Amino acid sequence: PELATYPKIVHGFSTRENGNMSFKWGEAKDVIANRKNFLQELKLNPLTGVSAELMHRDNIVRVGNQEASQGILQAPSLQADGLITNEPGIFLMYVVADCLSILFYDPEHQAIGLAHAGRQKSNQTIARAMIQKMTQEFGTNPANLIIGLGPSIHSCCYGFNQLPNGLDGWTPFIKQKSDRLFYINLVGWYIYELSQSGVALENIYLSEHCTAHSGKFFSHFEDLKNKQPESRFAAVIELK
């Protein structure tokens, strides 16, 4: 909600009530209807948005009017885990279900970014890569960035019998509890990555919702555990 105080951006997250937002996990006609209804709630035009297929890497693409409408009412052809733009009227969108969506806003240069951030080793540097790319493209000063961390799985629920591979350097963000499970603090890792890249901690706003237990958002982790059909929710940011 803190991001709502910035008048030059629009942002939002769909909920279970908005339905599945992923072409991979649903019928195209249902996904299109769900997306249209959700975007209408935010007063966004589907023809002015850009989305991309997630690769679980740190690849970032600058987009604008030329890419408008790609991946919004059809499956995306663009492949990227981070999108940036400084063109007003263009919104960025990803679909997630436990992984973190990171919203970037540079009020000095009027630029935005959206990243998908997970625990896969190839994706762990996405926050740093986003800041480097925005600095390169727009002259962004990390100290001036405003960051929103969307609903994601929190350490209270992200437990594993065996520690997954590829978590080098994550020791401060892993805790083995009395149930012998290893709990991963995904959010903590990315707050650390952002702060190490020069973002001020007071400029990082965190969603209180854990996707695994809030019941408000879709959760890959919980759906697998409960053998339920999977779905995804949307994260969106636009520069006015």
Side-chain angles (χ1 to χ4, degrees), residues 8 10 15 20 22 46 55 67 76 81 94 108 110 112-113 116 126 136 138-139 142 153-154 175 220 230 233:
K8 292 292 187 179
V10 175
T15 65
N20 171 47
S22 170
M55 305 302 291
E67 290 78 25
D81 285 78
Y94 276 128
E108 181 183 6
Q110 289 302 305
I112 58 171
H116 154 263
I126 187 71
Q136 174 188 330
F138 311 129
I153 193 165
H154 289 189
K175 185 175 182 180
H220 165 74
E230 290 204 49
F233 67 91

Side-chain angles (χ1 to χ4, degrees), residues 156-176:
C156 53
C157 296
Y158 207 17
F160 294 83
N161 289 314
Q162 290 186 323
L163 200 59
N165 293 326
L167 297 179
D168 305 327
W170 283 58
T171 302
F173 309 102
I174 299 169
K175 185 175 182 180
Q176 190 173 26

